[in-house]
């Protein structure tokens, strides 16, 4: 019990405006950053102290709700007015800006916005434009010398000013559906000495882009028009390749992948790599000793060259901990067992670190069952093997549904603790 005459602090009424005004400056900043810009500006009416607080927000999210939709004929005027108000009112540095420009096209104020940001210590830019009407990116983007993160979607980059020497602080670069010349893209990547993470998704360029990035650790590539060659990426740890089509002149190699830990190959990537190797050897000239996670999508086991390259990768990755394979374009295969999949072919290999295997799109073909048998027999610490059948394959009949579990139970298992989970999807 409180002494007589004493009141608990919660019993004392404090005016709301006084309470709001007494918040620490860092708390006010955090609140404003979390609010949409429109609501952040509206906090001006809370109290006298809050009137100009929004003017120093270091992070801005500029989305179309601020200026209207494509049906609004005055939206460019509205956007221009908003930007002019921002230019006149904001004080201090702006470190991060997200702009979703879906209806403005080649609005001249975008150039002024970028120039304004370049003079206010911008570090993080995330710009999205109209997919149906991609504009030209203003060259003022190359004046943002303190950029650390740059993400661009749906625009074209025509040229860089002669005075541009590179983004010497840039760590992350993501380009999605960007039209750019091969020469400019190569130059842009190579002029970012600290580049750690690179994403190229459906970029439009001609020929083959050579990637020279000595500090690059993560690279995510989805093919658009043109291709890439990983020329110098000695520190690469995570690689994801998605080739939608096959190009005979594509150049890729594993020569500098000593530190690779995560490898994700989708669609035509594996076919492309196997073709680049011409005659697939038994294993790489060196082991991928750091590779722990291998994911292969849309793999066609009916094609022996692709299957051989899958085994080539697995054999060369003896420190692998997680393996995921999705079978693509399944073809019912009653051909005899393949010599390359027999246990005798792997007599010198044991997967002493493999803990989890996930196989999707299985139909019970001979080659699939051979691979399962091989992995079970050569993985002494395997904990889980998840097998999912192909959900819409008509030949994955009741016969196969009953056959696969019986065959699985007959396979020798090197790991006494392995759990084989068979998930059957039959329409």
């Amino acid at each position: 019990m409180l002494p007589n005459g004493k009141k608990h602090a919660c019993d004392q009424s404090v005016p709301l405006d006084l309470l709001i005004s007494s918040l620490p400056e860092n708390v006010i900043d955090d609140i404003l950053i979390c609010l949409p810009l429109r609501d952040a500006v509206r906090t001006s009416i809370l109290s006298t102290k809050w009137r100009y607080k929004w003017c120093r927000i270091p992070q801005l999210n500029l989305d179309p709700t601020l200026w209207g939709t494509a049906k609004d004929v005055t939206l460019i005027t509205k956007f221009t007015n908003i930007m002019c108000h921002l230019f006149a009112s904001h004080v201090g540095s702006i470190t991060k800006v997200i702009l979703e420009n879906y209806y403005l096209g080649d609005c001249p104020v975008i150039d002024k916005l970028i120039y304004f940001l370049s003079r206010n210590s911008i570090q993080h830019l995330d710009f999205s434009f109209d997919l149906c009407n991609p504009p030209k990116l203003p060259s003022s983007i190359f004046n943002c010398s303190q950029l650390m993160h740059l993400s661009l979607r749906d625009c074209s980059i025509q040229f860089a000013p002669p005075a541009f020497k590179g983004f010497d602080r840039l760590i992350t670069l993501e380009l999605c559906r960007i039209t750019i010349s091969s020469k400019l893209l190569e130059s842009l990547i190579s002029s970012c000495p600290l580049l750690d993470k690179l994403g190229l998704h459906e970029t439009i360029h001609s020929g083959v882009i050579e990637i020279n990035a000595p500090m690059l650790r993560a690279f995510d590539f989805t093919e658009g028009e043109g291709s890439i060659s990983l020329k110098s990426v000695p520190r690469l740890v995570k690689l994801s390749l998605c080739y939608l089509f096959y190009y005979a002149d594509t150049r890729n190699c594993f020569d500098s992948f000593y530190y690779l830990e995560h490898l994700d190959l989708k669609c035509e990537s594996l076919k492309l790599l196997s073709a680049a190797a011409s005659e697939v050897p038994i294993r790489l000239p060196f082991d991928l000793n750091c590779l722990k996670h291998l994911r292969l999508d849309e793999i066609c086991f009916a094609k022996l060259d692709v299957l051989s390259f899958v085994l080539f990768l697995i054999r060369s990755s003896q420190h692998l901990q997680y393996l995921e394979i999705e079978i693509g374009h399944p073809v019912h295969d009653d051909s005899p067992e393949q010599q390359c999949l027999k246990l005798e072919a792997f007599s010198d290999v044991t997967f002493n670190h493999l803990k989890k295997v996930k196989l999707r799109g299985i139909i019970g073909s001979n080659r699939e069952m051979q691979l399962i048998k091989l992995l079970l027999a050569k993985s002494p610490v395997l904990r889980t093997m998840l097998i999912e059948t192909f959900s819409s394959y008509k030949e994955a009949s009741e016969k196969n549904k009953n056959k696969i579990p019986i065959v699985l139970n007959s396979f020798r298992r090197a790991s006494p603790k392995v759990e084989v989970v068979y998930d059957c999807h039959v329409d």
Side-chain angles (χ1 to χ4, degrees):
M1 180 179 294
L2 294 173
N4 291 335
K6 298 283 186 179
K7 289 188 177 181
H8 194 279
C10 293
D11 295 334
Q12 299 177 0
S13 60
V14 179
L16 182 59
D17 58 343
L18 181 60
L19 180 62
I20 293 174
S21 299
S22 63
L23 290 173
E25 294 293 327
N26 64 315
V27 174
I28 294 176
D29 291 342
D30 289 341
I31 291 173
L32 291 172
I33 289 174
C34 293
L35 293 175
L37 183 58
R38 184 189 299 272
D39 292 336
V41 175
R42 288 172 176 170
T43 60
S44 301
I45 66 172
L46 291 177
S47 71
T48 304
K49 184 178 179 180
W50 277 69
R51 187 170 184 180
Y52 298 106
K53 294 296 184 185
W54 75 270
C55 297
R56 67 181 193 199
I57 300 176
Q59 300 181 18
L60 302 175
N61 189 348
L62 306 174
D63 65 84
T65 59
L66 291 172
W67 52 84
T69 66
K71 296 181 180 180
D72 188 348
V73 295
T74 65
L75 67 99
I76 292 182
T77 301
K78 290 181 179 178
F79 178 74
T80 301
N81 292 337
I82 291 171
M83 291 301 101
C84 290
H85 185 51
L86 175 66
F87 300 157
S89 304
H90 197 278
V91 293
S93 62
I94 301 177
T95 58
K96 180 177 180 179
V97 170
I98 299 175
L99 171 66
E100 298 176 21
N101 172 15
Y102 297 135
Y103 314 119
L104 298 172
D106 284 305
C107 180
V109 182
I110 300 292
D111 190 11
K112 295 180 180 179
L113 170 63
I114 296 175
Y115 180 73
F116 172 74
L117 296 175
S118 70
R119 297 171 61 87
N120 282 272
S121 308
I122 187 66
Q123 298 177 11
H124 189 139
L125 274 182
D126 188 335
F127 281 7
S128 298
F129 298 95
D130 191 347
L131 173 61
C132 299
N133 184 27
K136 297 177 183 178
L137 188 70
S139 60
S140 53
I141 192 78
F142 295 101
N143 293 328
C144 301
S145 59
Q146 297 189 48
L147 274 179
M148 299 177 68
H149 304 275
L150 177 61
S151 179
L152 301 172
R153 282 174 290 278
D154 302 310
C155 65
S156 64
I157 303 176
Q158 302 293 319
F159 64 92
F164 177 67
K165 302 302 181 183
F167 294 119
D168 56 7
R169 301 186 184 186
L170 197 68
I171 297 173
T172 303
L173 175 63
E174 182 176 358
L175 304 178
C176 182
R177 295 183 297 273
I178 301 298
T179 301
I180 186 173
S181 72
S182 299
K183 183 178 180 180
L184 179 55
L185 182 54
E186 277 189 7
S187 174
L188 178 60
I189 294 171
S190 62
S191 64
C192 302
L194 299 182
L195 192 62
D196 178 83
K197 183 178 180 181
L198 174 63
L200 301 178
H201 305 286
E202 302 177 55
T203 56
I204 300 174
H205 58 270
S206 59
V208 179
I209 299 296
E210 291 188 347
I211 307 295
N212 289 287
M215 301 299 289
L216 192 67
R217 290 174 54 83
F219 179 42
D220 191 350
F221 176 76
T222 302
E223 176 196 28
E225 293 183 18
S227 190
I228 52 99
S229 174
L230 299 172
K231 186 175 182 181
S232 178
V233 285
R235 296 176 181 266
L236 198 64
V237 172
K238 187 174 183 179
L239 173 64
S240 177
L241 296 177
C242 180
Y243 278 92
L244 306 176
F245 304 99
Y246 169 69
Y247 290 96
D249 65 344
T250 302
R251 294 168 288 167
N252 281 283
C253 63
F254 289 92
D255 290 351
S256 60
F257 289 179
Y258 294 106
Y259 300 106
L260 198 64
E261 295 182 8
H262 297 260
L263 179 59
D264 190 348
L265 301 176
K266 303 182 182 75
C267 299
E268 295 291 325
S269 301
L270 198 68
K271 176 182 175 182
L272 181 145
L273 290 172
S274 62
S278 61
E279 183 179 347
V280 179
I282 296 176
R283 67 196 304 162
L284 286 168
F286 56 87
D287 286 335
L288 295 169
N289 286 326
C290 294
L291 192 64
K292 299 176 182 178
H293 185 121
L294 176 60
R295 186 171 184 268
L296 307 173
D297 270 2
E298 299 293 320
I299 304 304
C300 184
F301 271 29
K303 297 180 179 179
L304 189 57
D305 59 336
V306 173
L307 176 59
S308 298
F309 203 82
V310 171
L311 299 177
F312 161 72
L313 280 179
I314 295 174
R315 178 187 285 274
S316 302
S317 310
Q318 295 188 42
H319 287 76
L320 203 61
Q321 297 181 12
Y322 178 85
L323 173 64
E324 180 176 347
I325 298 177
E326 179 177 356
I327 312 299
H329 312 293
V331 177
H332 196 65
D333 178 23
D334 288 323
S335 62
E337 291 186 348
Q338 295 296 321
Q339 184 64 36
C340 63
L341 277 165
K342 290 186 177 181
L343 292 176
E344 294 79 8
F346 279 73
S347 59
D348 61 331
V349 177
T350 303
F351 304 112
N352 291 316
H353 303 274
L354 190 60
K355 297 178 181 179
K356 184 174 181 179
V357 174
K358 185 175 183 179
L359 304 172
R360 296 185 293 154
I362 297 295
I363 62 172
S365 71
N366 288 333
R367 293 178 181 180
E368 293 169 355
M369 301 310 290
Q370 274 190 279
L371 178 62
I372 294 172
K373 180 180 180 179
L374 174 66
L375 293 173
L376 285 173
K378 289 291 184 176
S379 309
V381 298
L382 189 63
R383 296 175 183 173
T384 306
M385 176 178 283
L386 176 61
I387 300 171
E388 297 179 356
T389 58
F390 189 63
S391 59
S392 59
Y393 187 59
K394 293 181 179 179
E395 293 189 47
S397 60
E398 193 70 24
K399 178 182 177 181
N400 270 14
K401 176 182 176 182
N402 297 326
K403 169 191 167 185
I404 294 176
I406 296 173
V407 176
L408 288 175
N409 288 331
S410 69
F411 291 158
R412 183 176 68 85
R413 305 178 183 188
S415 172
K417 298 181 180 181
V418 64
E419 179 185 11
V420 179
V421 180
Y422 175 57
D423 189 359
C424 181
H425 301 284
V426 178
D427 293 340

